[in-house]
């Protein structure tokens, strides 16, 4: 089973001392934008080492321990690069804020076949055995984690469709219940009851990134794509593919290369919106009503 023993420190200074030696200090801190949930910073140490730090309130330290496990799970597949995690901590001196330190992805010019390579790498990740990632059942994960700032249940299930219903759509619909009319709520219940009419069981379970939009893919200094900020679980590979299409889509070369390595089950186009319903409901619950029309459109399409 995958196990992550992440060092945990009680201040950033202690973390730097333990990891790099007492003579190293943070000499520069720059705010990095782009995230939705945490504060992000680039740190420069006195010897020139660059680090990436996320921080949040103390009570959210588990965002970071879960992110570390997720990145470790992706790294284990050896299919796609991810930044190495260095430690987590709660900095008592800075009002008790939780932090996560990882390698800084320097970025660089993309290799010519950047998207095609990512397509092949993601297909390879989706084809990797998941035996180390789940202790019982076939779908779920070793622990619950987060999708954005919201809890994501990963209770092991033998079958994909019940997992997707019980651990994905049902909790999100429950939290968004006030957004819907009574008749919409009846339709939602019907949709959940009949999910097996719309989805299919995968040929085999896959490790998913879980939040795979373009903002969570970065070019590393090798010019290839690196994955950041996952919400991993073991599920149907189609759910990751669907997410890549939700906010703009990846270039066609990505999908062509993916399918060459890992052909998709027929009818994916009819299932895509149901997978993205989970992500849209999560956005509705996190960020509010602007996502409601998209949610309603998808529910209406299947009922
Ligand atoms: P959040 O958890 O708030 O969603 P992200 O993980 O998306 O935050 O990180 C915020 C931004 O920081 C990203 O959009 C990206 O530009 C940058 N970033 C994330 N991880 C690294 C890293 N390891 N090295 C350098 N920059 C990073």
């Amino acid at each position: 089973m995958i196990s992550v023993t992440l060092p945990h420190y009680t201040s950033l200074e202690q973390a730097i001392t333990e990891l790099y030696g007492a003579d190293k200090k943070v000499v520069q801190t720059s705010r990095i934008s782009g995230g939705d949930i945490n504060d992000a910073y680039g740190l420069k140490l006195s010897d020139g080492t660059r680090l990436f730090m996320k921080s949040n309130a103390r009570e959210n330290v588990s965002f970071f321990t879960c992110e570390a496990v997720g990145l470790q799970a992706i790294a284990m597949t050896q299919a796609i690069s991810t930044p190495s995690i260095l430690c987590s901590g709660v900095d008592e001196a800075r009002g008790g804020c939780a932090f996560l330190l990882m390698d800084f992805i320097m970025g660089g010019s993309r290799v010519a076949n950047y998207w095609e390579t990512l397509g092949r790498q993601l297909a390879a990740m989706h084809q990797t055995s998941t035996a180390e990632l789940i202790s019982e059942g076939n779908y779920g994960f070793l622990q619950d984690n987060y999708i954005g700032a919201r809890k994501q249940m990963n209770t092991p299930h033998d079958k994909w469709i019940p997992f997707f219903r019980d651990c994905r759509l049902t909790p999100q619909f429950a939290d968004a219940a006030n957004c819907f009319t009574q008749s919409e709520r009846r339709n939602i219940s019907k949709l959940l009851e009949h999910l097996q009419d719309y989805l299919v069981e995968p040929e085999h379970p896959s490790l998913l990134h879980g939040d795979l939009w373009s903002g969570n893919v970065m070019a590393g200094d090798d010019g290839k794509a690196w994955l950041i900020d996952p919400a991993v679980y073991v599920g149907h590979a189609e759910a990751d593919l669907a997410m890549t299409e939700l906010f703009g889509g990846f270039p066609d070369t990505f999908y062509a290369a993916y399918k060459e390595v890992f052909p998709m089950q027929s009818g994916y186009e009819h299932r895509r919106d149901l997978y993205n319903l989970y992500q849209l409901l999560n956005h509705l619950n996190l960020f509010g009503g602007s996502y409601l029309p998209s949610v309603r459109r998808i529910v209406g399409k299947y009922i």
Side-chain angles (χ1 to χ4, degrees):
M1 257 338 105
I2 166 182
S3 88
V4 178
T5 42
L6 190 64
H8 185 87
Y9 299 111
T10 52
S11 73
L12 180 59
E13 286 71 20
Q14 187 201 15
I16 301 300
T17 299
E18 296 290 333
L19 295 168
Y20 295 96
D23 55 329
K24 307 294 185 313
K25 303 277 175 261
V26 176
V27 292
Q28 196 181 311
T29 303
S30 339
R31 188 77 189 257
I32 296 179
S33 59
D36 290 324
I37 307 300
N38 301 294
D39 294 328
Y41 303 91
L43 307 182
K44 194 166 167 192
L45 304 191
S46 37
D47 66 350
T49 302
R50 302 278 303 272
L51 303 175
F52 179 74
M53 181 175 80
K54 282 184 178 188
S55 73
N56 206 311
R58 170 202 296 270
E59 59 270 24
N60 293 326
V61 67
S62 55
F63 288 3
F64 298 146
T65 46
C66 289
E67 179 168 344
V69 175
L71 287 169
Q72 179 64 27
I74 294 174
M76 252 185 54
T77 67
Q78 299 185 343
I80 312 185
S81 299
T82 59
S84 298
I85 297 283
L86 301 165
C87 69
S88 62
V90 173
D91 199 327
E92 301 298 345
R94 290 178 179 79
C97 80
F99 66 93
L100 180 70
L101 276 185
M102 66 181 88
D103 282 348
F104 193 90
I105 302 173
M106 288 299 183
S109 48
R110 295 174 174 184
V111 291
N113 55 356
Y114 179 84
W115 288 106
E116 190 183 321
T117 305
L118 178 61
R120 290 216 178 83
Q121 290 177 310
L122 187 72
M125 181 177 113
H126 285 164
Q127 288 178 315
T128 303
S129 163
T130 54
E132 296 290 308
L133 302 173
I134 186 155
S135 52
E136 51 182 302
N138 296 311
Y139 301 96
F141 193 52
L142 296 169
Q143 59 183 54
D144 292 346
N145 51 18
Y146 295 88
I147 176 78
R150 287 175 51 83
K151 199 90 179 160
Q152 174 166 269
M153 280 171 66
N154 291 318
T155 313
H157 279 58
D158 291 335
K159 298 267 195 185
W160 163 244
I161 299 169
F163 172 81
F164 193 70
R165 184 188 55 230
D166 300 347
C167 293
R168 293 293 176 267
L169 293 183
T170 301
Q172 294 283 0
F173 271 127
D175 289 351
N178 287 340
C179 298
F180 302 106
T181 64
Q182 218 167 13
S183 99
E184 283 174 329
R185 284 203 285 270
R186 270 196 302 274
N187 284 342
I188 289 163
S189 301
K190 232 193 289 174
L191 173 64
L192 293 173
E193 275 166 35
H194 291 275
L195 214 49
Q196 70 282 359
D197 298 343
Y198 306 113
L199 295 181
V200 292
E201 291 292 324
E203 279 153 17
H204 63 77
S206 298
L207 173 67
L208 310 188
H209 176 282
D211 194 6
L212 192 56
W213 68 290
S214 57
N216 284 339
V217 180
M218 289 184 72
D221 46 4
D222 58 0
K224 293 189 187 163
W226 288 47
L227 297 187
I228 59 167
D229 205 18
V232 302
Y233 64 99
V234 176
H236 197 315
E238 288 179 347
D240 257 358
L241 267 286
M243 176 88 202
T244 67
E245 297 195 62
L246 182 58
F247 300 121
F250 291 7
D252 291 347
T253 48
F254 165 83
Y255 299 102
Y258 180 95
K259 289 173 194 169
E260 213 176 278
V261 178
F262 191 10
M264 298 177 72
Q265 289 166 273
S266 65
Y268 157 74
E269 298 72 21
H270 304 298
R271 299 185 287 273
R272 178 177 44 210
D273 280 356
L274 269 181
Y275 295 129
N276 285 338
L277 183 55
Y278 170 63
Q279 303 291 352
L280 288 166
L281 280 164
N282 190 53
H283 277 68
L284 173 64
N285 282 320
L286 270 176
F287 306 120
S290 62
Y291 293 92
L292 190 54
S294 310
V295 167
R296 285 201 165 112
R297 182 186 61 76
I298 296 177
V299 172
K301 179 174 156 181
Y302 289 93
I303 286 297

